[in-house]
Amino acid sequence: DHKDPKSLDEQCSIHGITIVDLGCGFGNETLLNLVAAQQMRLEQARRHRQNQEHLEQKVEHLEIKQSSPKAIVHFLDASKEAIRGLKNDPRYKKAFEAETSDKSRLTSAHVSSQVYDLTNHPSICSAHLLSNANIVLLQFTLSTVGPKSIFMKNAVINASNILQKGGVLLFRDFGRYDDDQLQLNSIVGARLEDNFYMRGFEEEKDE
């Protein structure tokens, strides 16, 4: 049962909030900027406290006070190329490298990524993600799922399995008869089936 979004406040303790971006592509800009902002705040805190004793304890306290809840962001996509591109993003690389190189584990944000096909069933991502996410993000993801109903069913089940009880699913996608569909409907070769299109086709011009 995921119908009680109010419980999200209780879940987002000082230990962090877990966000899973399903179908992330090259990375959601908002999430990457959040990761970068938290990392920058931590680095500023370290520089400010670098001459004080017990640096680690003081930064831990400051991090919780200023950057709570800590962002724990997992990026998943079916495309190996998309995940490869995400790992080359400077914001992702900086947070990942800082975390893996910092023995004190004080990185303000945690990031991870993996190739994951949401439509497979049974589809098991990393075990630590099952029933673990406070927020699951599906942004223009379900519109990429094939027209067969089993694919959509699997995608919904897999997203639900990642979301913890009381979590929130944030969904955004195209709508039937919106401007995008009407434009794609006029492009030769773009329509695959009813209400299912492929992007990347150019309109044929009259000779």
Side-chain angles (χ1 to χ4, degrees):
D1 182 5
H2 308 303
K3 297 182 180 180
D4 184 14
K6 294 182 181 179
S7 63
L8 183 64
D9 290 335
E10 300 174 358
Q11 297 171 20
C12 299
S13 66
I14 60 175
H15 300 295
I17 176 170
T18 300
I19 305 170
V20 178
D21 187 0
L22 292 173
C24 64
F26 289 94
N28 180 283
E29 285 294 310
T30 300
L31 295 180
L32 288 171
N33 286 336
L34 171 64
V35 166
Q38 290 199 346
Q39 183 63 29
M40 181 178 66
R41 282 197 295 268
L42 179 62
E43 292 173 355
Q44 290 173 343
R46 283 176 172 164
R47 287 194 295 268
H48 182 69
R49 300 282 185 172
Q50 63 183 351
N51 294 323
Q52 298 187 19
E53 294 182 356
H54 308 297
L55 175 63
E56 181 173 328
Q57 290 81 358
K58 290 179 181 293
V59 173
E60 277 187 323
H61 175 74
L62 187 61
E63 175 192 0
I64 290 171
K65 181 178 179 181
Q66 294 187 352
S67 301
S68 181
K70 173 181 176 180
I72 304 168
V73 185
H74 304 281
F75 297 94
L76 282 68
D77 197 276
S79 169
K80 294 180 180 179
E81 176 141 357
I83 295 298
R84 190 180 304 115
L86 168 66
K87 290 181 176 180
N88 287 326
D89 186 286
R91 294 162 294 182
Y92 181 96
K93 288 177 67 176
K94 187 172 184 179
F96 184 80
E97 291 171 358
E99 181 178 20
T100 55
S101 63
D102 187 0
K103 295 181 180 180
S104 62
R105 308 294 290 176
L106 295 182
T107 304
S108 184
H110 167 84
V111 293
S112 74
S113 58
Q114 70 178 91
V115 176
Y116 174 71
D117 189 343
L118 186 63
T119 65
N120 287 342
H121 184 74
S123 183
I124 304 297
C125 54
S126 297
H128 69 279
L129 292 183
L130 296 178
S131 300
N132 189 49
N134 301 110
I135 297 174
V136 168
L137 180 64
L138 286 169
Q139 186 169 13
F140 299 105
T141 298
L142 294 183
S143 58
T144 66
V145 175
K148 292 184 179 179
S149 60
I150 187 62
F151 293 152
M152 187 64 70
K153 179 180 178 180
N154 291 344
V156 172
I157 291 174
N158 289 325
S160 178
N161 287 340
I162 293 173
L163 193 67
Q164 66 175 248
K165 184 176 181 180
V168 174
L169 188 147
L170 300 180
F171 167 84
R172 183 185 179 192
D173 222 310
F174 301 108
R176 185 173 294 187
Y177 306 127
D178 63 9
D179 288 341
D180 289 282
Q181 180 179 15
L182 296 178
Q183 291 175 9
L184 286 169
N185 199 47
S186 65
I187 299 176
V188 176
R191 180 178 175 276
L192 301 179
E193 294 189 22
D194 289 340
N195 302 308
F196 193 69
Y197 301 84
M198 180 177 293
R199 290 182 173 275
F201 287 88
E202 295 181 357
E203 293 187 74
E204 293 188 350
K205 296 181 180 181
D206 295 333
E207 295 183 356

